[in-house]
Amino acid sequence: MDPLFKTSCNQGGNYFAPYAEASEMAKAEHNTVSGRIVSPVSGEPSGVNHVNLDFTADSATGQKEIGISSRAVASDEDTSDAVNRKPGLNTFVGRINYAFEELDKQNFSNVERLFRGVYLEEGLDELEYHRSLVGLARSLVEQKTYKKLTEAQHHLQVLRGSEWCTTSGASIIPDLDITLSRCEQELGLPIQAEARLLTLRRKSLHADEKAMCEPSDNYHADIAMVRQWQLMKKPKLALTLLQNMRAESTLRLTKERWPSSPACAAIELHECLKEVNMMLATLSGDGQI
């Protein structure tokens, strides 16, 4: 996996905001957009559009893609055996979590098959469907062929329909816009990727550099922004944002502003602060500043 895009702090593709106010803000926003609420236990998700695609041979690799024409999705014997041997994989959540664990091991073609084997299943609730489809897109982006990148882009653009967006146009589905921005970067659309991350961070596309480099309430979006600016050869912006993130995190740790689960929140923020410091050291060591 490209070190620029290594999953930060938390694993498994779940949303995590290290700043105390962020999680409650995300929940409130999620519950008010178009009146849609993800149910933890439900049957067939209302309004979920299961897209049927038929991807044939990849022009770059010649590899035959798995065709999708129904909810019965093929998976190879190795994948099936691994899933059957793994305890706790008789639930959708277990299978999705296992696929994200495998994603961290960078066996992307195998992870692709795992996610294809779950995201069209009957009975997924909306949260499970979103996680599995975003996971599939991440596995496709990591393989970096044009065929897989365009498939990932298609899935994410369909999933992020207007009912799952804020009034500013950012998706509230965890990790979707970050994954889509990575996909756009790989497809040679860096300006589009940058604009998407700025919107996700609630920054105006016409803001000055000072405003753009202020930390948002979304840690992962800020980290993705840093990496995007590195790729776009904007080290000054990347450095300034990292420095501001370090200052903000240090201040919050000092003030101990933790309304709930203080020990857990502090540990998570310490981990994020450690990552920020490592990125600052790397940026300085690369001679980009």
Side-chain angles (χ1 to χ4, degrees):
M1 186 185 299
D2 190 331
L4 282 174
F5 295 133
K6 185 176 181 182
T7 305
S8 52
C9 279
N10 71 316
Q11 301 297 318
N14 298 324
Y15 178 82
F16 161 61
Y19 302 151
E21 297 89 345
S23 60
E24 290 306 316
M25 183 183 300
K27 290 178 185 176
E29 186 169 66
H30 185 281
N31 289 340
T32 56
V33 175
S34 299
R36 295 291 294 274
I37 301 176
V38 171
S39 171
V41 179
S42 67
E44 181 68 13
S46 173
V48 171
N49 180 20
H50 294 281
V51 180
N52 293 327
L53 304 173
D54 185 14
F55 291 92
T56 54
D58 190 311
S59 58
T61 65
Q63 181 180 359
K64 185 74 173 179
E65 301 289 345
I66 298 175
I68 306 176
S69 58
S70 69
R71 294 176 184 275
V73 181
S75 60
D76 64 9
E77 292 181 0
D78 291 341
T79 300
S80 299
D81 290 345
V83 169
N84 290 335
R85 288 194 303 268
K86 188 84 172 178
L89 295 187
N90 56 343
T91 65
F92 293 138
V93 171
R95 291 166 64 187
I96 293 168
N97 288 342
Y98 174 66
F100 275 113
E101 290 172 9
E102 292 298 300
L103 183 62
D104 290 335
K105 298 177 183 177
Q106 304 182 30
N107 187 359
F108 302 123
S109 60
N110 181 54
V111 172
E112 176 188 344
R113 288 189 288 270
L114 289 170
F115 280 120
R116 287 195 190 279
V118 69
Y119 91 98
L120 291 178
E121 288 274 12
E122 296 280 358
L124 288 176
D125 65 34
E126 287 177 326
L127 180 59
E128 292 163 347
Y129 178 68
H130 293 166
R131 289 190 67 215
S132 59
L133 194 52
V134 171
L136 172 61
R138 285 180 58 186
S139 70
L140 294 170
V141 170
E142 293 294 352
Q143 295 177 69
K144 299 184 180 181
T145 68
Y146 180 77
K147 185 78 172 183
K148 294 184 185 294
L149 288 168
T150 53
E151 182 188 351
Q153 183 184 41
H154 173 83
H155 284 311
L156 295 172
Q157 287 176 338
V158 170
L159 184 59
R160 77 182 306 279
S162 59
E163 62 185 310
W164 288 103
C165 291
T166 65
T167 54
S168 62
S171 174
I172 61 172
I173 296 175
D175 208 29
L176 191 154
D177 275 348
I178 291 176
T179 304
L180 184 52
S181 71
R182 291 176 50 190
C183 184
E184 290 165 338
Q185 172 64 32
E186 292 293 337
L187 287 169
L189 302 169
I191 302 301
Q192 192 168 324
E194 180 185 34
R196 189 173 303 284
L197 291 173
L198 286 171
T199 300
L200 182 61
R201 298 176 59 239
R202 297 186 177 90
K203 307 297 181 183
S204 169
L205 302 181
H206 306 292
D208 57 26
E209 290 188 3
K210 182 178 184 299
M212 285 194 294
C213 293
E214 287 298 318
S216 70
D217 56 21
N218 187 329
Y219 173 83
H220 292 297
D222 288 344
I223 289 293
M225 189 83 266
V226 168
R227 289 166 175 160
Q228 182 62 34
W229 280 334
Q230 285 181 276
L231 291 172
M232 297 177 71
K233 309 300 182 185
K234 297 181 178 181
K236 181 181 177 182
L237 292 178
L239 176 65
T240 302
L241 176 53
L242 282 173
Q243 289 173 334
N244 289 340
M245 290 173 69
R246 179 170 63 182
E248 175 77 7
S249 300
T250 302
L251 179 63
R252 289 178 181 272
L253 281 170
T254 302
K255 289 186 175 182
E256 297 182 348
R257 295 169 56 189
W258 309 113
S260 63
S261 303
C264 177
I267 290 172
E268 290 174 334
L269 188 51
H270 271 297
E271 288 300 310
C272 292
L273 184 57
K274 179 180 177 181
E275 180 178 35
V276 168
N277 285 330
M278 290 176 63
M279 293 182 70
L280 278 168
T282 301
L283 192 59
S284 302
D286 289 342
Q288 296 186 44
I289 54 175

